[in-house]
Amino acid sequence: RKEVEQDPGPFNVPEGATVAFNCTYSNSASQSFFWYRQDCRKEPKLLMSVYSSGNEDGRFTAQLNRASQYISLLIRDSKLSDSATYLCVVNRNNDMRFGAGTRLTVKP
Amino acid sequence: EAGVVQSPRYKIIEKKQPVAFWCNPISGHNTLYWYRQNLGQGPELLIRYENEEAVDDSQLPKDRFSAERLKGVDSTLKIQPAELGDSAVYLCASSPGQGNSPLHFGNGTRLTVT
């Protein structure tokens, strides 16, 4: 079993749609969690950290469920510019592990 | 703040040749990572440094890969000899290493082995 697993995707949604990605992790001692965004042929960039109480940044909402060992990312009112691959990252003692990523395409 | 700097951006070599990648992390970032990313997959950790010490190299193919971070600042990753399967993007990242800080990535080096 992989340490970090994500929805395989791809997700193809119309503009304005709401889309959610899930990510599960195997190490219950994991300490912190992040969502990264990666555009085609670019490096991953931090989208947002995921806090225990859940957190929101504009149209993006991240949630953490430690008991079930999963994190989620919700994107509301999707824009064409949201098209990218979204990577889930799980950290324990600076050991940062990535999921395989979920590709999102937002269409007009 | 200057970001993580990697070079070269692209490298094309023939199999069995050596290749080296260089990374300069963000100033003050003690933790440095080398990842390899294949098409359609997430980054896979090769090696992690805390200052000049390699604290996790369990996934580094040591028969052909080597890395160093002699002064605890910039780092090099070397492959010798390269194989066709080494074609990938090699990403360097750094973090302060404290308080569950996120990673900051360089632009990566796209390696093609022919």
Side-chain angles (χ1 to χ4, degrees):
Chain A
R1 181 186 173 189
K2 292 184 178 179
E3 291 187 48
V4 183
E5 297 201 62
Q6 293 189 239
D7 289 346
F11 286 68
N12 298 304
V13 303
E15 269 188 295
T18 296
V19 61
F21 306 136
N22 289 324
C23 169
T24 58
Y25 59 95
S26 60
N27 191 333
S28 60
S30 298
Q31 298 161 319
S32 59
F33 311 87
F34 308 92
W35 283 102
Y36 277 71
R37 170 192 170 126
Q38 187 171 28
D39 293 292
C40 188
R41 302 180 75 87
K42 299 285 189 181
E43 75 276 18
K45 293 186 177 179
L46 179 67
L47 178 65
M48 58 196 303
S49 301
V50 186
Y51 301 122
S52 296
S53 56
N55 49 299
E56 187 174 305
D57 183 2
R59 299 181 292 108
F60 298 84
T61 300
Q63 292 191 318
L64 167 64
N65 185 320
R66 285 190 182 272
S68 301
Q69 295 180 204
Y70 80 81
I71 68 174
S72 65
L73 176 68
L74 182 76
I75 305 175
R76 292 182 300 277
D77 188 22
S78 299
K79 311 293 185 189
L80 296 177
S81 59
D82 293 334
S83 297
T85 296
Y86 291 83
L87 296 159
C88 166
V89 183
V90 175
N91 171 46
R92 177 176 178 269
N93 295 332
N94 291 331
D95 182 5
M96 297 276 199
R97 301 289 172 151
F98 284 74
T102 301
R103 182 165 179 80
L104 171 66
T105 301
V106 181
K107 299 184 175 181
Chain B
E1 173 182 82
V4 177
V5 179
Q6 286 189 250
S7 67
R9 287 296 307 275
Y10 305 94
K11 190 74 177 178
I12 302 174
I13 61 171
E14 294 183 347
K15 62 182 180 182
K16 301 184 181 180
Q17 294 301 306
V19 65
F21 315 127
W22 176 81
C23 173
N24 191 297
I26 293 173
S27 178
H29 280 197
N30 298 325
T31 308
L32 183 147
Y33 305 75
W34 283 103
Y35 287 89
R36 176 169 60 189
Q37 187 174 26
N38 290 303
L39 189 64
Q41 299 180 24
E44 296 177 338
L45 181 69
L46 291 174
I47 189 167
R48 172 168 58 100
Y49 283 93
E50 300 285 352
N51 298 302
E52 66 274 9
E53 181 183 359
V55 296
D56 184 356
D57 63 356
S58 58
Q59 297 184 81
L60 189 73
K62 298 181 184 63
D63 57 335
R64 297 182 300 107
F65 286 65
S66 64
E68 60 183 15
R69 192 185 186 199
L70 292 176
K71 297 183 179 179
V73 180
D74 55 349
S75 176
T76 55
L77 177 68
K78 298 178 181 178
I79 309 175
Q80 182 171 12
E83 297 179 351
L84 294 177
D86 295 332
S87 295
V89 175
Y90 291 82
L91 292 161
C92 179
S94 70
S95 84
Q98 301 167 4
N100 296 319
S101 302
L103 299 180
H104 301 262
F105 282 91
N107 292 333
T109 296
R110 184 173 298 274
L111 174 67
T112 302
V113 182
T114 63

